[in-house]
Amino acid sequence: MEEVKYNNGIVNEMLDDKVFKLLPSVLKNLTNNFEGRERDIVLVSSLSVLSACLPNVYGVYDSDKVYSNLYSMIIAPAASGKGVMNKSRILIEKIHDRLLELSIQEQKECREEKKKAKERDFENCPSPEIKILPANISTAEMYSYLSKSKNGLVIIESEADTMSIMLNNDWSNYSDVLRKAFHHEPLSISRKLENIFVDIKEPKLSILLSGTPQQLKSLIKSKENGLFSRFIVYSFDEISGFKSDLFLKKTNDINTIFQNEASVIFDFYGKLKELDCEIEFLFTESQNKAFTKEFEILHETIINGHSHSFLSNLRRHGLICYRIAMILSALRNLDKTIEGKKLLCENVDFILAIRITKTLLKHSLVTFNSFDDSFLSENDEQFLFSLPSTFTRAEAIQKGETLGIPTRTVDDKLSQWKKKKIIIPVKHGEYRRDRKMV
């Protein structure tokens, strides 16, 4: 990894111009009307949204079946131009609206049939299906929507605080859901009082967030946070200037361009969704070797020059790189018949994925280094959140015993957490987590 450039502690490197010249036509059309930071943001946000638009396309990475879903966050000060991220929402709105329209119609028909039959068990009628999932929902609602969505969902929020607020509540702390869904790990929830049992074999979720550095610290509380390592991070600290052409009508209206490409994606999504079998994405043998070599070099660079705690980020960026290559290859084959239900990665898309990922990895590294030492380690975070939001010392010791943590170590942790105000004493021997903690 080359030397990282700094500007007040935030990485200022942008994606190479060569990347944009080689993009598939959909992404090239979207980014052509932007420059500088805005062009980078449009690419990162579009990749994130489109990662939820490839039903029936999968690959095998490290012996696990994976899909194209990405988690991304754009981190920059207010008035920096990061709001252009919201344009990417247009790319998936047509799919979302169509799914919602069809499911509401099915629900209406089901209810009418039951009324005719004088039945009242409307709960068995299909509930609305969506593609864009709001972040301000309960954990139970998230399970419900994920279980109904065979082809995945996407969360798009321009204010990271929206998700932070949810993760601060016991009833909506779905942080573990986000972690598991990134790897498509099975999810299940059972609640006796509500008579609910939901079991999801392969959850598929994409996330696109933007926010300020302070909002990031409200969302990610640990320097070694397992959630942070799952995200693509694009960060910068420049403030954008006032646009002199703010009221001028451009030849190519930006919204129209996004809507045109959204129609292309809508048709492609429908085509993939109707396939009777899945399409497997594959690296060639030479690409496999080159991929391994690239990440071995990055691994050695981090071992020798950076915190070993960052290695989990590097490993997950390997998967992120693979997913980016999958998205690029699928988009480049919009109008082609994929022979034998295999999608071979083209060399240009392999090179692009490597270049994009290496730049984003630098952004992630500098953001990682911006966290101070007061944050929890991932092991401490898992221990703390295995306890109720308000707990006693006895409960902490009992939980520690089940995890193999000695009583003395538990007491040391409680003492450190009090000093750092991670936990607040309620009364003697009883504590609660700081409400700002995720």
Side-chain angles (χ1 to χ4, degrees), residues 287-306:
Q287 288 166 357
N288 277 324
K289 291 178 180 177
F291 181 88
T292 301
K293 183 178 180 180
E294 288 282 357
F295 276 86
E296 282 177 347
I297 293 171
L298 290 170
H299 186 274
E300 190 69 20
T301 303
I302 290 169
I303 287 288
N304 293 331
H306 301 281

Side-chain angles (χ1 to χ4, degrees), residues 133-184:
L133 181 69
N136 57 339
I137 59 173
S138 68
T139 303
E141 286 175 309
M142 175 164 279
Y143 272 93
S144 177
Y145 281 115
L146 278 172
S147 68
K148 292 165 190 168
S149 177
K150 178 184 175 184
N151 299 308
L153 302 169
V154 59
I155 295 174
I156 305 172
E157 291 290 349
S158 59
E159 296 293 340
D161 276 354
T162 304
M163 182 174 285
S164 299
I165 291 168
M166 291 298 103
L167 299 185
N168 286 336
N169 298 315
D170 288 340
W171 55 273
S172 60
N173 187 349
Y174 47 75
S175 179
D176 63 321
V177 177
L178 302 183
R179 297 166 200 246
K180 290 180 180 179
F182 180 82
H183 294 288
H184 316 298

